[in-house]
PDB file of all heavy atoms in Angstrom:
ATOM      1  N   LEU A   1       4.518  -5.968  13.389  1.00 98.00           N
ATOM      2  CA  LEU A   1       4.425  -7.386  13.638  1.00 98.00           C
ATOM      3  C   LEU A   1       3.066  -7.731  14.249  1.00 98.00           C
ATOM      4  O   LEU A   1       2.697  -7.090  15.248  1.00 98.00           O
ATOM      5  CB  LEU A   1       5.559  -7.824  14.547  1.00 98.00           C
ATOM      6  CG  LEU A   1       5.538  -9.273  15.024  1.00 98.00           C
ATOM      7  CD1 LEU A   1       5.721 -10.244  13.839  1.00 98.00           C
ATOM      8  CD2 LEU A   1       6.681  -9.490  16.043  1.00 98.00           C
ATOM      9  N   VAL A   2       2.408  -8.692  13.690  1.00 98.00           N
ATOM     10  CA  VAL A   2       1.089  -9.085  14.206  1.00 98.00           C
ATOM     11  C   VAL A   2       0.946 -10.585  14.104  1.00 98.00           C
ATOM     12  O   VAL A   2       1.552 -11.212  13.232  1.00 98.00           O
ATOM     13  CB  VAL A   2      -0.067  -8.353  13.417  1.00 98.00           C
ATOM     14  CG1 VAL A   2      -0.055  -8.753  11.957  1.00 98.00           C
ATOM     15  CG2 VAL A   2      -1.390  -8.571  14.063  1.00 98.00           C
ATOM     16  N   GLN A   3       0.142 -11.161  15.001  1.00 98.00           N
ATOM     17  CA  GLN A   3      -0.073 -12.584  14.923  1.00 98.00           C
ATOM     18  C   GLN A   3      -1.121 -12.920  13.847  1.00 98.00           C
ATOM     19  O   GLN A   3      -1.992 -12.083  13.530  1.00 98.00           O
ATOM     20  CB  GLN A   3      -0.608 -13.090  16.301  1.00 98.00           C
ATOM     21  CG  GLN A   3       0.508 -13.155  17.360  1.00 98.00           C
ATOM     22  CD  GLN A   3       0.017 -13.822  18.603  1.00 98.00           C
ATOM     23  OE1 GLN A   3      -1.168 -13.861  18.943  1.00 98.00           O
ATOM     24  NE2 GLN A   3       0.994 -14.413  19.354  1.00 98.00           N
ATOM     25  N   ALA A   4      -1.048 -14.114  13.365  1.00 98.00           N
ATOM     26  CA  ALA A   4      -2.044 -14.558  12.399  1.00 98.00           C
ATOM     27  C   ALA A   4      -3.459 -14.408  12.965  1.00 98.00           C
ATOM     28  O   ALA A   4      -3.671 -14.693  14.147  1.00 98.00           O
ATOM     29  CB  ALA A   4      -1.800 -16.008  12.038  1.00 98.00           C
ATOM     30  N   GLY A   5      -4.352 -13.946  12.112  1.00 98.00           N
ATOM     31  CA  GLY A   5      -5.734 -13.634  12.564  1.00 98.00           C
ATOM     32  C   GLY A   5      -5.914 -12.214  13.023  1.00 98.00           C
ATOM     33  O   GLY A   5      -7.047 -11.802  13.218  1.00 98.00           O
ATOM     34  N   GLY A   6      -4.837 -11.478  13.199  1.00 98.00           N
ATOM     35  CA  GLY A   6      -4.940 -10.120  13.686  1.00 98.00           C
ATOM     36  C   GLY A   6      -5.176  -9.130  12.588  1.00 98.00           C
ATOM     37  O   GLY A   6      -5.405  -9.489  11.422  1.00 98.00           O
ATOM     38  N   SER A   7      -5.146  -7.829  12.992  1.00 98.00           N
ATOM     39  CA  SER A   7      -5.485  -6.774  12.028  1.00 98.00           C
ATOM     40  C   SER A   7      -4.430  -5.672  12.117  1.00 98.00           C
ATOM     41  O   SER A   7      -3.797  -5.447  13.156  1.00 98.00           O
ATOM     42  CB  SER A   7      -6.845  -6.150  12.395  1.00 98.00           C
ATOM     43  OG  SER A   7      -7.859  -7.120  12.247  1.00 98.00           O
ATOM     44  N   LEU A   8      -4.279  -4.947  11.020  1.00 98.00           N
ATOM     45  CA  LEU A   8      -3.451  -3.770  10.948  1.00 98.00           C
ATOM     46  C   LEU A   8      -4.131  -2.800   9.965  1.00 98.00           C
ATOM     47  O   LEU A   8      -4.828  -3.221   9.055  1.00 98.00           O
ATOM     48  CB  LEU A   8      -2.054  -4.099  10.416  1.00 98.00           C
ATOM     49  CG  LEU A   8      -1.003  -4.700  11.348  1.00 98.00           C
ATOM     50  CD1 LEU A   8       0.247  -5.047  10.536  1.00 98.00           C
ATOM     51  CD2 LEU A   8      -0.698  -3.775  12.487  1.00 98.00           C
ATOM     52  N   ARG A   9      -3.884  -1.489  10.190  1.00 98.00           N
ATOM     53  CA  ARG A   9      -4.320  -0.491   9.204  1.00 98.00           C
ATOM     54  C   ARG A   9      -3.089   0.307   8.729  1.00 98.00           C
ATOM     55  O   ARG A   9      -2.405   0.911   9.541  1.00 98.00           O
ATOM     56  CB  ARG A   9      -5.353   0.446   9.797  1.00 98.00           C
ATOM     57  CG  ARG A   9      -5.950   1.356   8.764  1.00 98.00           C
ATOM     58  CD  ARG A   9      -7.037   2.272   9.282  1.00 98.00           C
ATOM     59  NE  ARG A   9      -6.496   3.424   9.938  1.00 98.00           N
ATOM     60  CZ  ARG A   9      -7.172   4.582  10.097  1.00 98.00           C
ATOM     61  NH1 ARG A   9      -8.390   4.696   9.560  1.00 98.00           N
ATOM     62  NH2 ARG A   9      -6.617   5.610  10.707  1.00 98.00           N
ATOM     63  N   LEU A  10      -2.896   0.236   7.450  1.00 98.00           N
ATOM     64  CA  LEU A  10      -1.823   0.999   6.856  1.00 98.00           C
ATOM     65  C   LEU A  10      -2.367   2.348   6.373  1.00 98.00           C
ATOM     66  O   LEU A  10      -3.508   2.421   5.932  1.00 98.00           O
ATOM     67  CB  LEU A  10      -1.211   0.251   5.667  1.00 98.00           C
ATOM     68  CG  LEU A  10      -0.702  -1.147   5.921  1.00 98.00           C
ATOM     69  CD1 LEU A  10      -0.061  -1.686   4.627  1.00 98.00           C
ATOM     70  CD2 LEU A  10       0.268  -1.180   7.056  1.00 98.00           C
ATOM     71  N   SER A  11      -1.540   3.335   6.472  1.00 98.00           N
ATOM     72  CA  SER A  11      -1.883   4.709   5.982  1.00 98.00           C
ATOM     73  C   SER A  11      -0.836   5.158   4.972  1.00 98.00           C
ATOM     74  O   SER A  11       0.347   4.831   5.142  1.00 98.00           O
ATOM     75  CB  SER A  11      -1.938   5.677   7.147  1.00 98.00           C
ATOM     76  OG  SER A  11      -2.912   5.301   8.115  1.00 98.00           O
ATOM     77  N   CYS A  12      -1.274   5.914   4.046  1.00 97.00           N
ATOM     78  CA  CYS A  12      -0.414   6.526   3.035  1.00 97.00           C
ATOM     79  C   CYS A  12      -0.757   8.004   2.949  1.00 97.00           C
ATOM     80  O   CYS A  12      -1.844   8.365   2.432  1.00 97.00           O
ATOM     81  CB  CYS A  12      -0.566   5.820   1.723  1.00 97.00           C
ATOM     82  SG  CYS A  12       0.291   6.599   0.347  1.00 97.00           S
ATOM     83  N   ALA A  13       0.105   8.860   3.425  1.00 96.00           N
ATOM     84  CA  ALA A  13      -0.121  10.266   3.440  1.00 96.00           C
ATOM     85  C   ALA A  13       0.660  10.926   2.306  1.00 96.00           C
ATOM     86  O   ALA A  13       1.843  10.595   2.076  1.00 96.00           O
ATOM     87  CB  ALA A  13       0.260  10.877   4.776  1.00 96.00           C
ATOM     88  N   ALA A  14       0.026  11.886   1.646  1.00 92.00           N
ATOM     89  CA  ALA A  14       0.641  12.538   0.527  1.00 92.00           C
ATOM     90  C   ALA A  14       0.982  13.973   0.832  1.00 92.00           C
ATOM     91  O   ALA A  14       0.256  14.640   1.611  1.00 92.00           O
ATOM     92  CB  ALA A  14      -0.255  12.466  -0.682  1.00 92.00           C
ATOM     93  N   SER A  15       2.059  14.429   0.223  1.00 84.00           N
ATOM     94  CA  SER A  15       2.398  15.858   0.322  1.00 84.00           C
ATOM     95  C   SER A  15       2.802  16.318  -1.078  1.00 84.00           C
ATOM     96  O   SER A  15       2.953  15.537  -1.995  1.00 84.00           O
ATOM     97  CB  SER A  15       3.567  16.082   1.283  1.00 84.00           C
ATOM     98  OG  SER A  15       4.703  15.371   0.918  1.00 84.00           O
ATOM     99  N   ARG A  16       2.936  17.586  -1.247  1.00 77.00           N
ATOM    100  CA  ARG A  16       3.299  18.299  -2.459  1.00 77.00           C
ATOM    101  C   ARG A  16       2.193  18.360  -3.483  1.00 77.00           C
ATOM    102  O   ARG A  16       2.235  19.166  -4.406  1.00 77.00           O
ATOM    103  CB  ARG A  16       4.527  17.662  -3.131  1.00 77.00           C
ATOM    104  CG  ARG A  16       5.829  17.738  -2.348  1.00 77.00           C
ATOM    105  CD  ARG A  16       6.965  17.221  -3.134  1.00 77.00           C
ATOM    106  NE  ARG A  16       8.190  17.212  -2.397  1.00 77.00           N
ATOM    107  CZ  ARG A  16       9.334  16.661  -2.817  1.00 77.00           C
ATOM    108  NH1 ARG A  16       9.348  16.106  -4.011  1.00 77.00           N
ATOM    109  NH2 ARG A  16      10.421  16.695  -2.071  1.00 77.00           N
ATOM    110  N   SER A  17       1.178  17.497  -3.348  1.00 77.00           N
ATOM    111  CA  SER A  17       0.102  17.528  -4.310  1.00 77.00           C
ATOM    112  C   SER A  17      -1.108  16.821  -3.710  1.00 77.00           C
ATOM    113  O   SER A  17      -0.972  15.955  -2.843  1.00 77.00           O
ATOM    114  CB  SER A  17       0.485  16.840  -5.594  1.00 77.00           C
ATOM    115  OG  SER A  17      -0.554  16.868  -6.557  1.00 77.00           O
ATOM    116  N   THR A  18      -2.293  17.202  -4.166  1.00 85.00           N
ATOM    117  CA  THR A  18      -3.487  16.530  -3.704  1.00 85.00           C
ATOM    118  C   THR A  18      -3.649  15.195  -4.399  1.00 85.00           C
ATOM    119  O   THR A  18      -3.311  15.003  -5.559  1.00 85.00           O
ATOM    120  CB  THR A  18      -4.720  17.435  -3.974  1.00 85.00           C
ATOM    121  OG1 THR A  18      -5.916  16.664  -3.559  1.00 85.00           O
ATOM    122  CG2 THR A  18      -4.853  17.772  -5.440  1.00 85.00           C
ATOM    123  N   LEU A  19      -4.229  14.245  -3.675  1.00 88.00           N
ATOM    124  CA  LEU A  19      -4.452  12.903  -4.218  1.00 88.00           C
ATOM    125  C   LEU A  19      -5.799  12.754  -4.943  1.00 88.00           C
ATOM    126  O   LEU A  19      -6.074  11.715  -5.520  1.00 88.00           O
ATOM    127  CB  LEU A  19      -4.377  11.852  -3.137  1.00 88.00           C
ATOM    128  CG  LEU A  19      -3.001  11.636  -2.442  1.00 88.00           C
ATOM    129  CD1 LEU A  19      -3.164  10.542  -1.368  1.00 88.00           C
ATOM    130  CD2 LEU A  19      -1.966  11.244  -3.463  1.00 88.00           C
ATOM    131  N   ARG A  20      -6.580  13.797  -4.924  1.00 91.00           N
ATOM    132  CA  ARG A  20      -7.957  13.725  -5.372  1.00 91.00           C
ATOM    133  C   ARG A  20      -8.112  13.159  -6.809  1.00 91.00           C
ATOM    134  O   ARG A  20      -9.031  12.382  -7.040  1.00 91.00           O
ATOM    135  CB  ARG A  20      -8.588  15.149  -5.319  1.00 91.00           C
ATOM    136  CG  ARG A  20     -10.080  15.148  -5.506  1.00 91.00           C
ATOM    137  CD  ARG A  20     -10.616  16.596  -5.326  1.00 91.00           C
ATOM    138  NE  ARG A  20     -10.297  17.095  -4.022  1.00 91.00           N
ATOM    139  CZ  ARG A  20     -11.046  16.889  -2.964  1.00 91.00           C
ATOM    140  NH1 ARG A  20     -12.157  16.193  -3.047  1.00 91.00           N
ATOM    141  NH2 ARG A  20     -10.671  17.394  -1.816  1.00 91.00           N
ATOM    142  N   SER A  21      -7.203  13.494  -7.654  1.00 92.00           N
ATOM    143  CA  SER A  21      -7.322  13.063  -9.067  1.00 92.00           C
ATOM    144  C   SER A  21      -6.480  11.851  -9.408  1.00 92.00           C
ATOM    145  O   SER A  21      -6.381  11.475 -10.574  1.00 92.00           O
ATOM    146  CB  SER A  21      -6.949  14.208  -9.970  1.00 92.00           C
ATOM    147  OG  SER A  21      -5.617  14.587  -9.751  1.00 92.00           O
ATOM    148  N   TYR A  22      -5.869  11.213  -8.389  1.00 94.00           N
ATOM    149  CA  TYR A  22      -5.058  10.046  -8.624  1.00 94.00           C
ATOM    150  C   TYR A  22      -5.753   8.762  -8.376  1.00 94.00           C
ATOM    151  O   TYR A  22      -6.628   8.684  -7.465  1.00 94.00           O
ATOM    152  CB  TYR A  22      -3.823  10.105  -7.689  1.00 94.00           C
ATOM    153  CG  TYR A  22      -2.729  11.103  -8.116  1.00 94.00           C
ATOM    154  CD1 TYR A  22      -2.900  12.446  -7.850  1.00 94.00           C
ATOM    155  CD2 TYR A  22      -1.598  10.677  -8.772  1.00 94.00           C
ATOM    156  CE1 TYR A  22      -1.918  13.373  -8.240  1.00 94.00           C
ATOM    157  CE2 TYR A  22      -0.605  11.579  -9.156  1.00 94.00           C
ATOM    158  CZ  TYR A  22      -0.811  12.906  -8.876  1.00 94.00           C
ATOM    159  OH  TYR A  22       0.182  13.797  -9.259  1.00 94.00           O
ATOM    160  N   THR A  23      -5.426   7.732  -9.134  1.00 97.00           N
ATOM    161  CA  THR A  23      -5.784   6.377  -8.748  1.00 97.00           C
ATOM    162  C   THR A  23      -4.743   5.928  -7.734  1.00 97.00           C
ATOM    163  O   THR A  23      -3.522   6.024  -7.980  1.00 97.00           O
ATOM    164  CB  THR A  23      -5.737   5.446  -9.994  1.00 97.00           C
ATOM    165  OG1 THR A  23      -6.844   5.773 -10.818  1.00 97.00           O
ATOM    166  CG2 THR A  23      -5.863   3.997  -9.535  1.00 97.00           C
ATOM    167  N   MET A  24      -5.210   5.411  -6.618  1.00 97.00           N
ATOM    168  CA  MET A  24      -4.341   5.005  -5.543  1.00 97.00           C
ATOM    169  C   MET A  24      -4.343   3.508  -5.388  1.00 97.00           C
ATOM    170  O   MET A  24      -5.353   2.861  -5.623  1.00 97.00           O
ATOM    171  CB  MET A  24      -4.773   5.651  -4.208  1.00 97.00           C
ATOM    172  CG  MET A  24      -4.805   7.185  -4.229  1.00 97.00           C
ATOM    173  SD  MET A  24      -3.192   7.895  -4.590  1.00 97.00           S
ATOM    174  CE  MET A  24      -2.204   7.246  -3.196  1.00 97.00           C
ATOM    175  N   ALA A  25      -3.214   2.963  -5.019  1.00 98.00           N
ATOM    176  CA  ALA A  25      -3.133   1.497  -4.886  1.00 98.00           C
ATOM    177  C   ALA A  25      -2.127   1.137  -3.802  1.00 98.00           C
ATOM    178  O   ALA A  25      -1.229   1.935  -3.461  1.00 98.00           O
ATOM    179  CB  ALA A  25      -2.714   0.892  -6.220  1.00 98.00           C
ATOM    180  N   TRP A  26      -2.308  -0.057  -3.326  1.00 98.00           N
ATOM    181  CA  TRP A  26      -1.327  -0.686  -2.442  1.00 98.00           C
ATOM    182  C   TRP A  26      -0.777  -1.923  -3.132  1.00 98.00           C
ATOM    183  O   TRP A  26      -1.520  -2.711  -3.705  1.00 98.00           O
ATOM    184  CB  TRP A  26      -1.972  -1.146  -1.121  1.00 98.00           C
ATOM    185  CG  TRP A  26      -2.304  -0.033  -0.199  1.00 98.00           C
ATOM    186  CD1 TRP A  26      -3.475   0.631  -0.084  1.00 98.00           C
ATOM    187  CD2 TRP A  26      -1.391   0.583   0.738  1.00 98.00           C
ATOM    188  NE1 TRP A  26      -3.377   1.623   0.882  1.00 98.00           N
ATOM    189  CE2 TRP A  26      -2.132   1.638   1.394  1.00 98.00           C
ATOM    190  CE3 TRP A  26      -0.059   0.397   1.097  1.00 98.00           C
ATOM    191  CZ2 TRP A  26      -1.558   2.416   2.400  1.00 98.00           C
ATOM    192  CZ3 TRP A  26       0.509   1.173   2.073  1.00 98.00           C
ATOM    193  CH2 TRP A  26      -0.221   2.186   2.697  1.00 98.00           C
ATOM    194  N   TYR A  27       0.536  -2.024  -3.141  1.00 98.00           N
ATOM    195  CA  TYR A  27       1.241  -3.181  -3.677  1.00 98.00           C
ATOM    196  C   TYR A  27       2.014  -3.801  -2.514  1.00 98.00           C
ATOM    197  O   TYR A  27       2.229  -3.174  -1.495  1.00 98.00           O
ATOM    198  CB  TYR A  27       2.230  -2.753  -4.764  1.00 98.00           C
ATOM    199  CG  TYR A  27       1.614  -2.374  -6.068  1.00 98.00           C
ATOM    200  CD1 TYR A  27       0.954  -1.148  -6.220  1.00 98.00           C
ATOM    201  CD2 TYR A  27       1.653  -3.224  -7.170  1.00 98.00           C
ATOM    202  CE1 TYR A  27       0.364  -0.774  -7.429  1.00 98.00           C
ATOM    203  CE2 TYR A  27       1.079  -2.863  -8.393  1.00 98.00           C
ATOM    204  CZ  TYR A  27       0.449  -1.655  -8.503  1.00 98.00           C
ATOM    205  OH  TYR A  27      -0.142  -1.291  -9.702  1.00 98.00           O
ATOM    206  N   ARG A  28       2.474  -5.023  -2.748  1.00 98.00           N
ATOM    207  CA  ARG A  28       3.347  -5.652  -1.740  1.00 98.00           C
ATOM    208  C   ARG A  28       4.364  -6.506  -2.429  1.00 98.00           C
ATOM    209  O   ARG A  28       4.197  -6.972  -3.541  1.00 98.00           O
ATOM    210  CB  ARG A  28       2.526  -6.517  -0.707  1.00 98.00           C
ATOM    211  CG  ARG A  28       1.885  -7.734  -1.326  1.00 98.00           C
ATOM    212  CD  ARG A  28       1.000  -8.385  -0.267  1.00 98.00           C
ATOM    213  NE  ARG A  28       0.347  -9.590  -0.775  1.00 98.00           N
ATOM    214  CZ  ARG A  28      -0.572 -10.279  -0.115  1.00 98.00           C
ATOM    215  NH1 ARG A  28      -0.973  -9.873   1.080  1.00 98.00           N
ATOM    216  NH2 ARG A  28      -1.097 -11.368  -0.664  1.00 98.00           N
ATOM    217  N   GLN A  29       5.485  -6.675  -1.740  1.00 98.00           N
ATOM    218  CA  GLN A  29       6.571  -7.493  -2.244  1.00 98.00           C
ATOM    219  C   GLN A  29       7.137  -8.336  -1.104  1.00 98.00           C
ATOM    220  O   GLN A  29       7.665  -7.786  -0.136  1.00 98.00           O
ATOM    221  CB  GLN A  29       7.667  -6.635  -2.898  1.00 98.00           C
ATOM    222  CG  GLN A  29       8.717  -7.444  -3.622  1.00 98.00           C
ATOM    223  CD  GLN A  29       9.611  -6.586  -4.490  1.00 98.00           C
ATOM    224  OE1 GLN A  29       9.686  -5.367  -4.342  1.00 98.00           O
ATOM    225  NE2 GLN A  29      10.277  -7.233  -5.448  1.00 98.00           N
ATOM    226  N   ALA A  30       7.025  -9.618  -1.277  1.00 96.00           N
ATOM    227  CA  ALA A  30       7.570 -10.535  -0.305  1.00 96.00           C
ATOM    228  C   ALA A  30       8.988 -10.928  -0.749  1.00 96.00           C
ATOM    229  O   ALA A  30       9.322 -10.826  -1.927  1.00 96.00           O
ATOM    230  CB  ALA A  30       6.680 -11.791  -0.210  1.00 96.00           C
ATOM    231  N   PRO A  31       9.824 -11.399   0.194  1.00 92.00           N
ATOM    232  CA  PRO A  31      11.204 -11.745  -0.188  1.00 92.00           C
ATOM    233  C   PRO A  31      11.221 -12.776  -1.304  1.00 92.00           C
ATOM    234  O   PRO A  31      10.527 -13.760  -1.246  1.00 92.00           O
ATOM    235  CB  PRO A  31      11.744 -12.341   1.136  1.00 92.00           C
ATOM    236  CG  PRO A  31      10.963 -11.675   2.201  1.00 92.00           C
ATOM    237  CD  PRO A  31       9.563 -11.522   1.622  1.00 92.00           C
ATOM    238  N   GLY A  32      11.982 -12.497  -2.341  1.00 95.00           N
ATOM    239  CA  GLY A  32      12.158 -13.414  -3.438  1.00 95.00           C
ATOM    240  C   GLY A  32      11.015 -13.460  -4.418  1.00 95.00           C
ATOM    241  O   GLY A  32      10.969 -14.283  -5.326  1.00 95.00           O
ATOM    242  N   LYS A  33      10.049 -12.542  -4.239  1.00 96.00           N
ATOM    243  CA  LYS A  33       8.914 -12.531  -5.115  1.00 96.00           C
ATOM    244  C   LYS A  33       8.767 -11.185  -5.795  1.00 96.00           C
ATOM    245  O   LYS A  33       9.311 -10.165  -5.354  1.00 96.00           O
ATOM    246  CB  LYS A  33       7.630 -12.879  -4.341  1.00 96.00           C
ATOM    247  CG  LYS A  33       7.577 -14.252  -3.791  1.00 96.00           C
ATOM    248  CD  LYS A  33       6.222 -14.552  -3.193  1.00 96.00           C
ATOM    249  CE  LYS A  33       6.137 -15.993  -2.706  1.00 96.00           C
ATOM    250  NZ  LYS A  33       4.800 -16.335  -2.158  1.00 96.00           N
ATOM    251  N   GLN A  34       7.968 -11.132  -6.874  1.00 97.00           N
ATOM    252  CA  GLN A  34       7.741  -9.903  -7.567  1.00 97.00           C
ATOM    253  C   GLN A  34       6.748  -9.073  -6.795  1.00 97.00           C
ATOM    254  O   GLN A  34       5.871  -9.616  -6.065  1.00 97.00           O
ATOM    255  CB  GLN A  34       7.207 -10.200  -8.980  1.00 97.00           C
ATOM    256  CG  GLN A  34       8.267 -10.797  -9.915  1.00 97.00           C
ATOM    257  CD  GLN A  34       7.766 -10.827 -11.360  1.00 97.00           C
ATOM    258  OE1 GLN A  34       6.586 -10.985 -11.583  1.00 97.00           O
ATOM    259  NE2 GLN A  34       8.694 -10.708 -12.295  1.00 97.00           N
ATOM    260  N   ARG A  35       6.797  -7.754  -7.033  1.00 97.00           N
ATOM    261  CA  ARG A  35       5.798  -6.909  -6.459  1.00 97.00           C
ATOM    262  C   ARG A  35       4.441  -7.189  -7.091  1.00 97.00           C
ATOM    263  O   ARG A  35       4.347  -7.336  -8.317  1.00 97.00           O
ATOM    264  CB  ARG A  35       6.206  -5.434  -6.665  1.00 97.00           C
ATOM    265  CG  ARG A  35       5.392  -4.414  -5.908  1.00 97.00           C
ATOM    266  CD  ARG A  35       5.960  -3.003  -6.081  1.00 97.00           C
ATOM    267  NE  ARG A  35       7.319  -2.892  -5.507  1.00 97.00           N
ATOM    268  CZ  ARG A  35       7.973  -1.730  -5.365  1.00 97.00           C
ATOM    269  NH1 ARG A  35       7.374  -0.597  -5.759  1.00 97.00           N
ATOM    270  NH2 ARG A  35       9.176  -1.731  -4.881  1.00 97.00           N
ATOM    271  N   GLU A  36       3.392  -7.197  -6.220  1.00 98.00           N
ATOM    272  CA  GLU A  36       2.075  -7.543  -6.755  1.00 98.00           C
ATOM    273  C   GLU A  36       1.062  -6.503  -6.236  1.00 98.00           C
ATOM    274  O   GLU A  36       1.188  -5.960  -5.139  1.00 98.00           O
ATOM    275  CB  GLU A  36       1.638  -8.952  -6.315  1.00 98.00           C
ATOM    276  CG  GLU A  36       1.518  -9.114  -4.777  1.00 98.00           C
ATOM    277  CD  GLU A  36       0.972 -10.478  -4.397  1.00 98.00           C
ATOM    278  OE1 GLU A  36       0.664 -11.271  -5.298  1.00 98.00           O
ATOM    279  OE2 GLU A  36       0.896 -10.741  -3.177  1.00 98.00           O
ATOM    280  N   LEU A  37       0.031  -6.304  -7.042  1.00 98.00           N
ATOM    281  CA  LEU A  37      -1.050  -5.410  -6.662  1.00 98.00           C
ATOM    282  C   LEU A  37      -1.905  -6.064  -5.578  1.00 98.00           C
ATOM    283  O   LEU A  37      -2.305  -7.220  -5.703  1.00 98.00           O
ATOM    284  CB  LEU A  37      -1.901  -5.088  -7.888  1.00 98.00           C
ATOM    285  CG  LEU A  37      -3.186  -4.250  -7.597  1.00 98.00           C
ATOM    286  CD1 LEU A  37      -2.805  -2.863  -7.169  1.00 98.00           C
ATOM    287  CD2 LEU A  37      -4.074  -4.242  -8.812  1.00 98.00           C
ATOM    288  N   VAL A  38      -2.203  -5.313  -4.523  1.00 98.00           N
ATOM    289  CA  VAL A  38      -3.066  -5.792  -3.454  1.00 98.00           C
ATOM    290  C   VAL A  38      -4.464  -5.232  -3.619  1.00 98.00           C
ATOM    291  O   VAL A  38      -5.433  -5.951  -3.575  1.00 98.00           O
ATOM    292  CB  VAL A  38      -2.489  -5.405  -2.098  1.00 98.00           C
ATOM    293  CG1 VAL A  38      -3.411  -5.800  -0.966  1.00 98.00           C
ATOM    294  CG2 VAL A  38      -1.119  -6.001  -1.879  1.00 98.00           C
ATOM    295  N   ALA A  39      -4.549  -3.930  -3.738  1.00 98.00           N
ATOM    296  CA  ALA A  39      -5.832  -3.245  -3.848  1.00 98.00           C
ATOM    297  C   ALA A  39      -5.645  -1.906  -4.551  1.00 98.00           C
ATOM    298  O   ALA A  39      -4.595  -1.275  -4.464  1.00 98.00           O
ATOM    299  CB  ALA A  39      -6.462  -3.032  -2.480  1.00 98.00           C
TER     300      ALA A  39
END
């Protein structure tokens, strides 16, 4: 939870395989909405 104007850093850690050869992305899904690509 953060106030408007604030900052957060999300992390995504992988196991079982290296991420080196993968395209990585962040998606988000708000209530009642479709999942969308963020970055």
